[in-house]
Amino acid sequence: MKTLNVGLVGSGFMGRAHAQAFRAVGGLFDLPLAPVLDILADRDEETARASAAALGFRRHTGDWRRLVEDPAVDVVAVTTPNRLHAPIALAAIAAGKHVYCEKPLATTLADARAMTAAAEARGVVTLVGFNYLKNPMIALAREIVQGGEIGEVTGFRGIHAEDFMADPDQPYGWRCEPDNAGGALADIGSHIIAMARHLAGEITAVSGRLHTVHGSRPAAPGSTERKSVTVDDQAHALVEFAGGATGSLTASWIAQGRKMQLAFELTGTRGSIAFTQERFNELRLYTAGGRRGREGYTLIAAGPEHGDYGAFCPAPGHQIGFNDLKAIEVKALVEAIAGTSAAGPDFREACEVERVAEAIHRSHRDRCWIDVRSV
Amino acid sequence: MKTLNVGLVGSGFMGRAHAQAFRAVGGLFDLPLAPVLDILADRDEETARASAAALGFRRHTGDWRRLVEDPAVDVVAVTTPNRLHAPIALAAIAAGKHVYCEKPLATTLADARAMTAAAEARGVVTLVGFNYLKNPMIALAREIVQGGEIGEVTGFRGIHAEDFMADPDQPYGWRCEPDNAGGALADIGSHIIAMARHLAGEITAVSGRLHTVHGSRPAAPGSTERKSVTVDDQAHALVEFAGGATGSLTASWIAQGRKMQLAFELTGTRGSIAFTQERFNELRLYTAGGRRGREGYTLIAAGPEHGDYGAFCPAPGHQIGFNDLKAIEVKALVEAIAGTSAAGPDFREACEVERVAEAIHRSHRDRCWIDVRSV
Amino acid sequence: MKTLNVGLVGSGFMGRAHAQAFRAVGGLFDLPLAPVLDILADRDEETARASAAALGFRRHTGDWRRLVEDPAVDVVAVTTPNRLHAPIALAAIAAGKHVYCEKPLATTLADARAMTAAAEARGVVTLVGFNYLKNPMIALAREIVQGGEIGEVTGFRGIHAEDFMADPDQPYGWRCEPDNAGGALADIGSHIIAMARHLAGEITAVSGRLHTVHGSRPAAPGSTERKSVTVDDQAHALVEFAGGATGSLTASWIAQGRKMQLAFELTGTRGSIAFTQERFNELRLYTAGGRRGREGYTLIAAGPEHGDYGAFCPAPGHQIGFNDLKAIEVKALVEAIAGTSAAGPDFREACEVERVAEAIHRSHRDRCWIDVRSV
Amino acid sequence: MKTLNVGLVGSGFMGRAHAQAFRAVGGLFDLPLAPVLDILADRDEETARASAAALGFRRHTGDWRRLVEDPAVDVVAVTTPNRLHAPIALAAIAAGKHVYCEKPLATTLADARAMTAAAEARGVVTLVGFNYLKNPMIALAREIVQGGEIGEVTGFRGIHAEDFMADPDQPYGWRCEPDNAGGALADIGSHIIAMARHLAGEITAVSGRLHTVHGSRPAAPGSTERKSVTVDDQAHALVEFAGGATGSLTASWIAQGRKMQLAFELTGTRGSIAFTQERFNELRLYTAGGRRGREGYTLIAAGPEHGDYGAFCPAPGHQIGFNDLKAIEVKALVEAIAGTSAAGPDFREACEVERVAEAIHRSHRDRCWIDVRSV
């Protein structure tokens, strides 16, 4: 079988998840190409060598430029801090590589657009790591919506809340830098924007409110000096969809007690769907018009009849994990590169997600509604 | 024991609930006054006679004016269609009666203000039927917030969603009339506004979006003629609180599958509370700083250690019902009339709730943020 | 309307619940007879006078014999300690009164049988307070089972667990006395036995295991002296049903954290039902053969389409409380006395419940299966 | 790093899961040995070749004897039908290989004992695939129990219920053969027995009841001929533990609607734990003695502070999947082989599980309690 040489840039939380997914995917799916963990780049030789060994890459480099220009590399996976997404992706595209990039796509909408234009001009495959969309239960939700099972979509109320920044003594870091796509909205809110678009379609107008709760944080771990923070700890937005639905979105990284509440309630004229990533192997579905006295939300447990679940387990209810979502994402990438199916969400879609986020920022600044298409 | 003669106007869903509560309350609580189901008024003599008999009132009248002027009547309970709240309450106040009124207080903010002014000038006790605030679990939530157990409030995300108008063939009725406090926001959204204020304090600014999903409904039950609808089927708002918190509120009466989703997540700097009226004998509490590896939301089941629960049952976990909330409300009314404790929410508080709703309406119309204090 | 004079013996937790139910029921249901809180008996004049005043009875007595012989009394409600059930009920029956008795019916099976025989010979109406059976959701469960919606019943796995005796320093009390129907099985296990019979039919054989976890308790509140305990803190039983199903029952009053876990999973050949009293306004129903990929347990929320729920609230999802179950029970009693419907569970049924409990006791003693019909 | 050559026998559901785990484990954990997917055996050359290619093994064979005798093989993984476990494991042990065997260990207790004796005599490492024990939440439960956080264990009520045999037209297969460890108790009940022992200790006595609900099934898929079934569709048992606790266990493969209900409630003198594999990234913990009015079950979400979770994800609440449990199991195996930690559950423990199952069978046959140590 033809191989697909993977060059991975970065080896943090997401770098590891990518490596694991590329490693596992061949044993799970019947793929048109065999991914090979070829080369890993990190901030320096030392780090790169250690990570390459730990994650199973055969080569390493302390210079990502070397990686993106390496003729042997077929696809570049970008899991660096946000600020590096654009230069790495643009260089990779220029070298004719396919690009698999973590979200958010870039730190400015302009960069995101340039990346999208470059990729489309060069004709490479792109994929952005909105991994939660790859959940078979989300595929089911989309199938239900698009099949008209719950009628026309009328409302979408979504949230992505976690609490990893809830402690005011959590130190300042790259997530707090405004020019590094910092803030709860950009960092995790992009997931719920992507989800809203995935299920309810284009968002056309927003009214947003950002909120910095902790105005300063320790300048560094253990530091007594405090550094001023200007990015949002939580964000709320009203949204209007092209299809006529309305709703609200919330992002928070100070939601005490929440670890992974990417949740939504989607209502339609003839039914509703409720979901939370906290129990992501479940989807609750209500369909109007059932037998009187027997109606209610049905809790559907993920099983082999739901999309890619069966690749992991032939028995229902056994559950897939977070890393398995990443494996599904990689499978989509490989198939798109082989041309056997369309990948997604690609750079263009990620650009649209950032456009919504940017519109929310402007709406907050101007305290008015913003037409997303004007952004 | 001194008695408290009750005059009830109206005998629909809420009229029955009032009657039941007045009937039950004496056996539950050790009250300073004994409520007597004295007189019931309804739209005509016939209806009033039947309802008085069914609900256990000793007298009846087809003319509410007779009731409010009756010297024997101590307190007037108003459960009529919204439009009659103002005239009945004003007449009752003029006659020196205490007034127990269903929500929304009036169909215009001007009326609500006039009612409040009149009541305060006359010095009568008023209480408005935001019964969900009377839940011992909500009392617990308030105690937790006010006692600082979860630090400073940073966010409030609330919703009141039901589906009784989800069917586009649900006929036009008084709830659809704009000049009768029609629409989801006024009808049920007022509950979540009241809840937000009760727990997170004054709302100072809003950005709102109303949405009429079903633009027409059958003019009457069984009618093939359709009547145009202009009131909202769902409403969303961003909110800012005087204390610095931000959040969002949603109201919907077309949320397929939801029967009583008055729900919120309240986050603080050191913890969170989650609640839904769908399981209103439960409160979920998260407090930061617990033992590592043992943290999580604790599901607190209502028990006799929680406020008024013990009046219903000495054993925890046995659960109170919707009508019991009304009994707690009536107990608060009776005690306020006797002067042994302050009632509430009174007309002034209900006025504030309507002010927020009015601000959301204006915000929707003008597509901008509205300072609630300017309304 | 004809009245029904109620004589209540006892005014503890259950006495209060009876009083409240008799007080409320007339305003909720359209009854053939109007209950009147006529006379209350308690252990002495003083207690009886205070309780009668608090609960709204017009007369009182310190001697229950006076009450049962009073010609004005139509029905005697017995809420005394278990040991007095038999003498009071027998005296009431002898006087031709209808009897409404709390569970367990008696402290010995022989007594229970004598009471049943006496009641049937005299032709009076009897009702035993297995109030959880009166839940509209349980009525729904029974309708589902009896209508064959889930096929033939194959299994029943039930539990009644609370934790009010979990603390080893909870003092010895009448619940600990073997000759007073003491022990978890008799005290609360009778509820799950009754539920199992109500839904899955006659229990024909049992294998039981009783377990005394705390072998001694303080002789009295505050006492340092400890008294030996011989009754069960928890009990487990395997059960066989006449219809062919098998299952298990558990009773525990030391189940830390459980306040009202009267719960079961009932499986049939074509579906299943799951229920817990902890959320007793909900029933979960699974029906096999649904659309592939859309199957799952449906959470049915109680609404007016479910039996007696509508008497409390015309809107679904608003929920009834524990005391409302008692009101439904009293409604059944009143209708049975009026002859408009059959009450139940009557003394005969309660006798069968005790027979199963007795069989479990014998099985524990002999460490073998016991044929219930042999007991 | 030294490698560990894996020989896998079988490539069904469990064979795939083993392969995937061996493939993934090196990227997840810092292991003392590097597993290599060396050789795969299956029923014939053809099948073996295809499976080896799909799962990434470098060699294959149609004869498992060749595999177990191959000097290059370090560990033999057995995922064949139950009946082959004994001959393969015994041959592997004779060849000095470590053995990783799926459950149930053997089809007779005698075989299981012979396997255990052989392994111990030869000094090889053994591990049996009770993968649910490897869940970090179960490790947490064990830590809580063994650390005395909930006092002395008093009760264990467990169940393993699924519905893959609920349809009476599900064909007869090897799971229905009595001499192939057929029946719900042996097939899935062994998991709940293992769990009970893992958390509550040795089971000393049982009273069991097996139940064949569907007495015949189609002889083969699509066949109209029906074959008689004698193994149990569901099984119930009362259990006594060496530590003094009592409880019940249930196994069912006809529990309509249940896909993976491996669930238990474990009560102690000072707290309780509740768990279900349906949501296996959660554990509910109740600890007595908390602040009055704030007590309740705490829902603990799996995070990096819980055992092996952190190897999969550094962020809490993201969740691991079924296959990840298998990876943890393989990690334990590799470490045990390297001698850096003790593996388990080993053959001896699996033998004890089978002994309990056998005792339940005998108890059913004789309708009496069975002392497990006598079996």
Side-chain angles (χ1 to χ4, degrees):
Chain A
M1 185 166 43
K2 257 191 82 183
T3 56
L4 179 76
N5 280 349
V6 178
L8 172 67
V9 191
S11 62
F13 174 8
M14 274 302 138
R16 282 174 58 93
H18 280 223
Q20 195 63 22
F22 277 113
R23 193 181 177 113
V25 71
L28 294 164
F29 296 95
D30 188 17
L31 292 180
L33 297 168
V36 173
L37 300 185
D38 184 21
I39 178 166
L40 182 146
D42 218 319
R43 77 186 74 95
D44 54 48
E45 280 293 316
E46 200 64 14
T47 309
R49 181 182 305 116
S51 291
L55 301 179
F57 281 79
R58 50 190 186 193
R59 300 188 293 153
H60 67 272
T61 171
D63 179 3
W64 62 260
R65 284 172 205 284
R66 209 104 59 85
L67 181 151
V68 298
E69 284 156 10
D70 191 313
V73 169
D74 296 312
V75 58
V76 176
V78 187
T79 69
T80 61
N82 301 338
R83 159 181 323 162
L84 289 172
H85 289 184
I88 297 174
L90 287 169
I93 291 165
K97 315 296 190 196
H98 305 296
V99 184
Y100 172 27
C101 186
E102 270 310 303
K103 41 62 54 186
L105 182 52
T107 58
T108 68
L109 186 53
D111 277 357
R113 281 173 168 151
M115 293 158 77
T116 303
E120 294 184 352
R122 195 64 156 88
V124 298
V125 167
T126 59
L127 186 70
V128 181
F130 290 108
N131 33 253
Y132 304 114
L133 305 185
K134 297 305 183 188
N135 182 353
M137 288 290 95
I138 297 304
L140 173 62
R142 203 179 194 207
E143 177 187 324
I144 287 168
V145 170
Q146 296 191 344
E149 293 180 43
I150 57 168
E152 298 296 311
V153 177
T154 56
F156 184 91
R157 183 173 177 257
I159 185 170
H160 190 153
E162 305 195 19
D163 70 358
F164 59 93
M165 298 294 278
D167 184 347
D169 292 333
Q170 179 71 20
Y172 193 99
W174 63 264
R175 283 195 166 86
C176 300
E177 293 169 20
D179 59 353
N180 194 18
L185 178 62
D187 191 45
I188 57 174
S190 53
H191 282 301
I192 190 65
I193 296 172
M195 187 68 80
R197 285 180 50 87
H198 191 63
L199 297 176
E202 189 189 353
I203 294 171
T204 48
V206 300
S207 172
R209 177 64 164 85
L210 306 187
H211 186 186
T212 306
V213 170
H214 301 313
S216 73
R217 294 182 180 275
S223 168
T224 57
E225 188 200 344
R226 295 187 76 89
K227 192 164 172 180
S228 173
V229 177
T230 59
V231 301
D232 55 300
D233 287 319
Q234 61 182 348
H236 312 279
L238 305 183
V239 289
E240 298 177 0
F241 294 86
T246 57
S248 71
L249 303 179
T250 296
S252 172
W253 62 21
I254 58 160
Q256 288 283 15
R258 294 296 181 179
K259 309 306 173 187
M260 181 32 78
Q261 187 197 18
L262 173 60
F264 64 82
E265 297 163 88
L266 186 157
T267 53
T269 48
R270 292 201 301 276
S272 292
I273 291 172
F275 172 83
T276 177
Q277 185 69 20
E278 291 168 320
R279 290 171 173 170
F280 75 82
N281 284 276
E282 302 177 358
L283 189 78
R284 285 180 291 148
L285 170 65
Y286 177 86
T287 313
R291 179 174 167 193
R292 191 173 146 78
R294 303 293 182 275
E295 289 178 297
Y297 274 90
T298 295
L299 193 157
I300 303 172
E305 65 273 34
H306 302 119
D308 291 317
Y309 175 97
F312 299 90
C313 185
H318 282 54
Q319 298 157 58
I320 60 173
F322 173 77
N323 288 336
D324 298 332
L325 300 181
K326 227 55 196 170
I328 298 175
E329 190 171 270
V330 162
K331 170 227 164 200
L333 173 73
V334 173
E335 290 183 347
I337 290 172
T340 58
S341 79
D346 60 10
F347 278 13
R348 178 161 289 277
E349 171 59 16
C351 224
E352 291 300 313
V353 170
E354 293 206 23
R355 185 147 77 147
V356 174
E358 172 66 18
I360 293 172
H361 270 95
R362 288 196 202 172
S363 170
H364 171 70
R365 187 192 60 198
D366 301 344
R367 282 184 86 75
C368 66
W369 280 82
I370 295 291
D371 179 341
V372 177
R373 289 165 181 168
S374 75
V375 174
Chain B
M1 185 165 45
K2 256 192 82 182
T3 56
L4 179 77
N5 281 347
V6 178
L8 171 67
V9 190
S11 62
F13 174 6
M14 275 302 137
R16 281 173 58 93
H18 279 222
Q20 195 63 21
F22 278 114
R23 193 181 178 113
V25 71
L28 294 164
F29 295 95
D30 188 17
L31 292 180
L33 296 168
V36 173
L37 300 183
D38 184 21
I39 178 165
L40 183 146
D42 218 320
R43 80 185 72 93
D44 55 49
E45 280 292 317
E46 200 63 13
T47 309
R49 181 184 303 114
S51 292
L55 301 179
F57 281 79
R58 50 191 187 194
R59 300 188 293 154
H60 67 273
T61 171
D63 179 2
W64 61 262
R65 285 171 205 284
R66 211 106 54 90
L67 180 149
V68 298
E69 285 159 9
D70 190 314
V73 170
D74 297 310
V75 58
V76 175
V78 187
T79 68
T80 61
N82 301 338
R83 162 180 320 165
L84 288 172
H85 290 184
I88 296 174
L90 287 169
I93 291 164
K97 314 297 190 195
H98 306 295
V99 184
Y100 173 28
C101 186
E102 271 310 304
K103 42 62 50 185
L105 183 53
T107 57
T108 68
L109 186 53
D111 277 357
R113 282 172 167 151
M115 292 157 79
T116 304
E120 294 183 353
R122 195 63 157 87
V124 298
V125 168
T126 59
L127 187 70
V128 181
F130 291 108
N131 32 252
Y132 304 114
L133 305 185
K134 296 305 182 189
N135 181 353
M137 288 290 96
I138 297 303
L140 173 62
R142 204 179 193 210
E143 178 188 324
I144 288 168
V145 170
Q146 297 192 343
E149 292 180 44
I150 56 168
E152 298 296 311
V153 177
T154 56
F156 184 92
R157 182 172 177 256
I159 185 170
H160 190 152
E162 305 195 20
D163 70 358
F164 60 92
M165 299 294 278
D167 184 347
D169 292 333
Q170 179 71 19
Y172 193 97
W174 63 264
R175 283 193 168 87
C176 300
E177 292 169 19
D179 59 353
N180 193 19
L185 178 63
D187 191 42
I188 58 175
S190 54
H191 282 300
I192 190 64
I193 295 172
M195 186 68 80
R197 286 179 49 87
H198 192 61
L199 296 176
E202 190 190 351
I203 294 170
T204 47
V206 301
S207 173
R209 177 65 165 85
L210 306 187
H211 186 184
T212 306
V213 170
H214 300 312
S216 72
R217 294 182 179 276
S223 168
T224 57
E225 189 199 344
R226 294 187 77 87
K227 192 163 172 181
S228 173
V229 177
T230 59
V231 300
D232 56 299
D233 287 319
Q234 61 182 349
H236 311 278
L238 305 182
V239 289
E240 297 177 0
F241 293 86
T246 57
S248 71
L249 303 179
T250 295
S252 172
W253 62 22
I254 58 160
Q256 288 283 14
R258 294 297 180 179
K259 308 306 172 188
M260 179 34 75
Q261 187 196 18
L262 174 60
F264 63 83
E265 296 163 89
L266 185 156
T267 53
T269 48
R270 292 201 300 275
S272 292
I273 290 172
F275 172 83
T276 177
Q277 185 69 20
E278 291 167 320
R279 290 170 173 170
F280 75 83
N281 284 275
E282 302 177 359
L283 189 78
R284 284 181 292 149
L285 171 65
Y286 177 86
T287 313
R291 178 173 170 193
R292 191 173 145 79
R294 304 291 183 276
E295 289 179 297
Y297 273 91
T298 295
L299 194 159
I300 302 171
E305 65 272 34
H306 301 119
D308 292 318
Y309 175 96
F312 298 90
C313 184
H318 282 55
Q319 298 157 58
I320 60 171
F322 172 77
N323 288 335
D324 298 333
L325 300 181
K326 226 55 196 169
I328 298 175
E329 190 170 272
V330 161
K331 170 228 166 201
L333 174 72
V334 173
E335 289 183 348
I337 290 172
T340 57
S341 78
D346 60 9
F347 278 13
R348 177 160 289 274
E349 172 58 19
C351 225
E352 291 301 312
V353 171
E354 293 206 22
R355 187 149 76 147
V356 174
E358 173 64 19
I360 293 172
H361 270 95
R362 288 197 202 171
S363 171
H364 170 71
R365 188 191 60 197
D366 301 344
R367 282 184 86 74
C368 66
W369 280 82
I370 295 291
D371 179 341
V372 177
R373 289 164 181 170
S374 76
V375 174
Chain C
M1 183 165 46
K2 254 192 85 183
T3 56
L4 179 77
N5 281 348
V6 178
L8 171 67
V9 190
S11 62
F13 175 8
M14 274 302 137
R16 281 173 57 92
H18 279 224
Q20 196 61 21
F22 277 114
R23 192 179 178 114
V25 71
L28 294 164
F29 295 95
D30 188 18
L31 292 180
L33 296 168
V36 173
L37 300 184
D38 184 21
I39 178 165
L40 182 146
D42 218 320
R43 78 186 74 92
D44 53 49
E45 280 292 319
E46 200 63 13
T47 308
R49 180 183 305 114
S51 293
L55 301 180
F57 281 79
R58 51 191 186 193
R59 299 188 292 153
H60 67 272
T61 171
D63 179 2
W64 62 261
R65 285 173 204 284
R66 207 104 58 84
L67 182 150
V68 300
E69 285 157 9
D70 191 312
V73 169
D74 296 310
V75 58
V76 176
V78 186
T79 69
T80 60
N82 301 338
R83 159 182 323 163
L84 288 172
H85 290 183
I88 297 174
L90 288 169
I93 291 163
K97 314 297 189 193
H98 304 296
V99 185
Y100 173 28
C101 187
E102 271 310 303
K103 42 62 54 186
L105 183 53
T107 57
T108 66
L109 185 54
D111 277 356
R113 281 171 167 153
M115 292 157 77
T116 303
E120 294 183 353
R122 195 63 156 89
V124 297
V125 168
T126 59
L127 186 70
V128 181
F130 290 108
N131 32 253
Y132 304 114
L133 305 186
K134 296 306 182 187
N135 181 354
M137 288 290 95
I138 297 303
L140 173 62
R142 203 180 194 207
E143 178 188 324
I144 287 167
V145 170
Q146 296 191 343
E149 293 180 42
I150 56 168
E152 299 296 312
V153 177
T154 56
F156 184 93
R157 183 173 176 257
I159 185 171
H160 189 153
E162 304 194 20
D163 69 358
F164 59 93
M165 298 295 277
D167 183 347
D169 291 334
Q170 179 71 20
Y172 193 99
W174 62 264
R175 283 193 166 86
C176 300
E177 292 169 19
D179 59 352
N180 193 17
L185 178 63
D187 191 43
I188 57 175
S190 54
H191 283 300
I192 192 63
I193 296 172
M195 186 69 79
R197 286 179 49 88
H198 192 61
L199 296 175
E202 189 188 352
I203 294 170
T204 48
V206 300
S207 172
R209 176 66 164 83
L210 307 187
H211 186 185
T212 305
V213 170
H214 300 312
S216 72
R217 295 182 179 274
S223 168
T224 57
E225 188 199 345
R226 295 187 76 88
K227 192 162 172 183
S228 173
V229 176
T230 59
V231 299
D232 55 302
D233 287 317
Q234 59 182 349
H236 311 278
L238 305 181
V239 289
E240 297 176 0
F241 293 86
T246 57
S248 71
L249 303 179
T250 296
S252 173
W253 62 23
I254 58 161
Q256 289 282 15
R258 295 297 182 179
K259 308 307 172 188
M260 180 32 78
Q261 187 196 20
L262 174 60
F264 63 82
E265 297 163 88
L266 186 157
T267 52
T269 48
R270 291 200 300 276
S272 292
I273 290 172
F275 172 83
T276 176
Q277 184 70 20
E278 291 167 319
R279 291 172 172 169
F280 75 82
N281 284 273
E282 302 175 0
L283 190 78
R284 284 182 292 148
L285 172 64
Y286 177 86
T287 312
R291 178 173 168 193
R292 191 173 145 78
R294 303 293 181 275
E295 289 178 298
Y297 273 91
T298 295
L299 194 157
I300 303 171
E305 65 272 35
H306 301 120
D308 291 317
Y309 176 96
F312 298 89
C313 185
H318 282 54
Q319 297 157 57
I320 60 173
F322 173 77
N323 288 337
D324 298 333
L325 300 181
K326 226 56 195 170
I328 298 174
E329 190 171 272
V330 161
K331 170 226 164 201
L333 173 73
V334 173
E335 289 183 348
I337 291 172
T340 57
S341 80
D346 60 9
F347 279 13
R348 177 162 289 277
E349 171 59 17
C351 224
E352 291 300 313
V353 171
E354 293 206 24
R355 186 148 75 147
V356 174
E358 172 65 18
I360 293 172
H361 270 96
R362 287 195 202 175
S363 170
H364 170 71
R365 187 191 61 198
D366 300 345
R367 283 184 85 74
C368 65
W369 281 82
I370 295 291
D371 180 342
V372 177
R373 290 165 180 168
S374 76
V375 174
Chain D
M1 184 165 45
K2 257 192 80 183
T3 56
L4 179 77
N5 281 347
V6 178
L8 171 67
V9 190
S11 62
F13 174 8
M14 274 301 137
R16 282 173 57 92
H18 279 223
Q20 194 63 22
F22 277 114
R23 192 182 180 111
V25 71
L28 294 164
F29 296 94
D30 188 17
L31 291 180
L33 296 168
V36 173
L37 300 184
D38 184 22
I39 179 166
L40 183 146
D42 218 320
R43 79 185 73 92
D44 54 49
E45 281 292 319
E46 199 65 12
T47 309
R49 180 185 303 116
S51 292
L55 301 179
F57 281 79
R58 51 191 187 191
R59 299 188 292 154
H60 67 272
T61 171
D63 179 1
W64 62 261
R65 285 172 204 283
R66 210 107 52 91
L67 181 149
V68 299
E69 285 157 10
D70 190 314
V73 169
D74 296 311
V75 58
V76 176
V78 187
T79 69
T80 60
N82 301 338
R83 161 182 321 165
L84 289 171
H85 290 185
I88 297 172
L90 287 168
I93 291 164
K97 314 296 190 195
H98 305 296
V99 185
Y100 173 27
C101 185
E102 272 309 305
K103 42 61 53 184
L105 183 53
T107 57
T108 67
L109 185 53
D111 278 356
R113 281 172 168 153
M115 293 158 78
T116 302
E120 294 184 352
R122 196 62 158 88
V124 298
V125 168
T126 59
L127 186 70
V128 181
F130 290 108
N131 33 251
Y132 304 115
L133 305 186
K134 296 306 181 188
N135 182 353
M137 289 290 95
I138 296 304
L140 174 62
R142 204 179 192 207
E143 177 188 325
I144 288 168
V145 170
Q146 296 191 345
E149 293 180 43
I150 56 168
E152 298 296 312
V153 177
T154 57
F156 185 93
R157 181 171 177 258
I159 185 170
H160 190 151
E162 304 194 22
D163 69 359
F164 59 94
M165 297 295 277
D167 183 348
D169 292 332
Q170 179 71 19
Y172 192 98
W174 63 263
R175 282 194 167 86
C176 300
E177 292 169 20
D179 59 353
N180 193 18
L185 178 62
D187 190 43
I188 57 174
S190 53
H191 282 300
I192 192 63
I193 295 172
M195 185 68 80
R197 285 180 49 88
H198 191 62
L199 296 175
E202 188 189 353
I203 295 170
T204 47
V206 300
S207 172
R209 177 65 164 85
L210 307 186
H211 186 185
T212 306
V213 169
H214 300 311
S216 73
R217 295 183 180 275
S223 167
T224 56
E225 188 199 344
R226 295 187 76 88
K227 191 162 170 181
S228 173
V229 176
T230 59
V231 300
D232 55 300
D233 287 317
Q234 61 182 348
H236 311 278
L238 305 182
V239 289
E240 297 176 0
F241 293 86
T246 56
S248 71
L249 303 179
T250 296
S252 173
W253 62 23
I254 57 160
Q256 289 282 14
R258 294 297 181 178
K259 309 305 173 187
M260 181 32 78
Q261 187 196 19
L262 174 61
F264 63 82
E265 297 162 271
L266 185 157
T267 52
T269 48
R270 292 201 301 276
S272 291
I273 290 172
F275 172 83
T276 177
Q277 185 69 20
E278 291 167 319
R279 290 171 173 171
F280 75 82
N281 285 275
E282 302 175 0
L283 189 78
R284 285 181 292 149
L285 171 65
Y286 177 86
T287 313
R291 179 173 168 192
R292 191 174 147 78
R294 304 293 182 276
E295 289 179 298
Y297 274 92
T298 295
L299 193 157
I300 302 171
E305 65 272 35
H306 301 120
D308 292 316
Y309 175 96
F312 298 91
C313 184
H318 282 54
Q319 297 157 59
I320 60 172
F322 174 76
N323 288 337
D324 298 332
L325 300 181
K326 226 56 195 169
I328 298 174
E329 190 170 273
V330 161
K331 171 227 165 200
L333 173 71
V334 173
E335 290 184 348
I337 290 172
T340 57
S341 79
D346 60 9
F347 279 13
R348 178 161 289 276
E349 171 59 18
C351 225
E352 291 301 312
V353 171
E354 293 206 22
R355 186 148 75 146
V356 174
E358 173 66 19
I360 293 172
H361 270 96
R362 288 197 201 169
S363 171
H364 170 71
R365 188 192 60 198
D366 300 345
R367 283 184 85 76
C368 65
W369 281 81
I370 295 291
D371 180 341
V372 177
R373 290 163 181 171
S374 76
V375 174

